[in-house]
Amino acid sequence: MEIVVVGRHTEVADRFRQHAEDKLAKVEQLAPTAQRVDVEVTRENNPRLASVRERVELTVRDKGPVVRAEAAADDRFGALDLALDKLSERLRRARDRRKDHRQHQVTPPVDVRPPSQIPEPEVPVPAPAPPEHPGDSVERELGDSPVVIREKLHQAKPMSVDDALYEMEMVGHDFFLFVDSETKRPSVAYRRHGWTYGVVQLDTSCDCA
């Protein structure tokens, strides 16, 4: 498993890199098929945010959905520990979910028709290549203002609302953008209060011009 440590607006010392690699070694126990763990360290220079000036974001890239966790503290070692605790909990939940799915798998029926009566399977049409590589991010300034906008491209694989809520929990966000596999509409799931959620869908078929 590869561990990649990068810094945004800050330098990352070898001591922290080695510490992160030692700490993240146990990720393989919870995600044996994980191929890579990205560690992104960000430093906030605003004195008012001194208690959370160091932010660490952990991203596990596996065959399944991406699992992400982040935390902030007054030093990056503490932020790493907090983020790793969140990541470990989400990896356990993902592992338990996979086990539950395997236990409830249903064997598909066997088609007993003669080969001449079985229709040829439809060949799926490949999706057009995206303009950029998924996972790439770009930062740009908004006009002459000091506002910085970070844009990131993600793959939009159609999924159910249940799967969207699950992946939202896995990355620890309060919202999740997806394409509903039932309605084919761009949708966003968001956290409300407690264990209640909301879903907003866009109707792109109307002519609003």
Side-chain angles (χ1 to χ4, degrees), residues 180-201:
D180 191 310
S181 59
E182 182 177 351
T183 64
K184 310 303 181 185
R185 293 172 178 167
S187 308
V188 61
Y190 63 94
R191 190 188 310 278
R192 298 183 66 197
H193 305 289
W195 289 100
T196 61
Y197 301 87
V199 177
V200 176
Q201 296 190 340

Side-chain angles (χ1 to χ4, degrees), residues 161-181:
V161 172
D162 179 64
D163 287 337
L165 294 177
Y166 166 71
E167 294 208 21
M168 183 178 73
E169 292 293 336
M170 288 296 98
V171 297
H173 289 174
D174 292 327
F175 68 92
F176 189 82
L177 183 65
F178 67 104
V179 176
D180 191 310
S181 59

Side-chain angles (χ1 to χ4, degrees), residues 67-185:
V67 181
R68 181 179 292 111
E70 63 179 82
D74 58 350
D75 72 273
R76 59 190 58 179
F77 290 90
L80 174 64
D81 290 342
L82 294 174
L84 182 56
D85 288 343
K86 295 180 183 179
L87 183 71
S88 298
E89 176 60 27
R90 288 165 190 167
L91 288 174
R92 291 189 187 96
R93 290 169 58 186
R95 179 189 60 187
D96 293 343
R97 181 184 174 94
R98 288 194 297 269
K99 288 181 179 179
D100 184 66
H101 280 189
R102 285 197 295 268
Q103 291 173 358
H104 292 84
Q105 283 181 346
V106 178
T107 303
V110 178
D111 196 334
V112 297
R113 291 176 296 176
S116 59
Q117 297 181 9
I118 300 178
E120 292 291 332
E122 295 183 2
V123 179
V125 179
E132 300 290 344
H133 299 290
D136 286 353
S137 60
V138 177
E139 289 188 357
R140 62 179 178 87
E141 295 183 356
L142 184 61
D144 297 330
S145 71
V147 176
V148 176
I149 298 177
R150 187 185 187 195
E151 300 176 351
K152 193 169 186 178
L153 181 64
H154 293 271
Q155 289 180 326
K157 181 182 69 174
M159 64 180 65
S160 66
V161 172
D162 179 64
D163 287 337
L165 294 177
Y166 166 71
E167 294 208 21
M168 183 178 73
E169 292 293 336
M170 288 296 98
V171 297
H173 289 174
D174 292 327
F175 68 92
F176 189 82
L177 183 65
F178 67 104
V179 176
D180 191 310
S181 59
E182 182 177 351
T183 64
K184 310 303 181 185
R185 293 172 178 167

